[in-house]
Amino acid sequence: MAGGSRSALRGRAGTARGIVLEDLSGIRERVRLAKAQRQQLHSWAYAQLRDFVTYKAASVGVPVEVINPRNTSRTCYPCGHVDKANRITQDRFVCRVCGHVDQADHNAALNIGYLGYVKYMTTTHGYWAA
């Protein structure tokens, strides 16, 4: 996040918006890939990216939440039904209960955003904080 990243984040400050990231720690050990894909995966610096985003966001007052991504790609955003069968293909999501159809990554991103919001609202920053 170089150059205009701070000014882009500054525009979010005070807007009741934040950034939600998946906790990708341990992904290298969990994911099974072909040799060529393993090389590409191991070259990614998830922790460094997370640190940069967190640092820059904090510098302008934008909250960052890190959530567990478990089942976010299997959960229907509108109804909450979780089922491996909801993921028809790599890029197609169809809920077995309510019939919601979406691009799979978009549906997962909505779930990640929602989980981040819930986490934010139920921690020291939010309404239900002690």
Side-chain angles (χ1 to χ4, degrees):
M1 297 184 80
S5 61
R6 194 165 301 209
S7 61
L9 284 170
R10 200 173 290 120
R12 289 186 165 266
T15 63
R17 294 184 181 165
I19 298 171
V20 183
L21 301 171
E22 294 181 50
D23 181 0
L24 296 175
S25 57
I27 192 168
R28 288 182 176 95
E29 294 78 31
R30 292 192 315 260
V31 176
R32 292 187 181 112
L33 299 169
K35 187 175 183 178
Q37 292 171 317
R38 273 193 304 255
Q39 177 62 35
Q40 184 180 13
L41 176 70
H42 290 297
S43 69
W44 293 355
Y46 297 115
Q48 186 179 25
L49 175 63
R50 179 172 147 182
D51 289 347
F52 285 159
V53 169
T54 302
Y55 170 77
K56 295 250 182 162
S59 72
V60 293
V62 174
V64 175
E65 294 293 341
V66 179
I67 61 104
N68 181 346
R70 183 178 178 97
N71 289 325
T72 54
S73 65
R74 298 175 178 181
T75 303
C76 178
Y77 178 71
C79 79
H81 176 69
V82 181
D83 191 336
K84 186 176 183 177
N86 285 344
R87 193 75 182 256
I88 302 297
T89 64
Q90 181 69 24
D91 64 346
R92 185 168 164 80
F93 182 94
V94 179
C95 180
R96 300 291 188 193
V97 172
C98 75
H100 172 70
V101 177
D102 203 345
Q103 197 280 334
D105 289 339
H106 180 255
N107 183 75
L110 292 172
N111 285 320
I112 290 166
Y114 175 73
L115 290 172
Y117 171 77
V118 169
K119 184 176 179 183
Y120 178 80
M121 292 304 291
T122 57
T123 61
T124 57
H125 309 290
Y127 180 75
W128 293 282

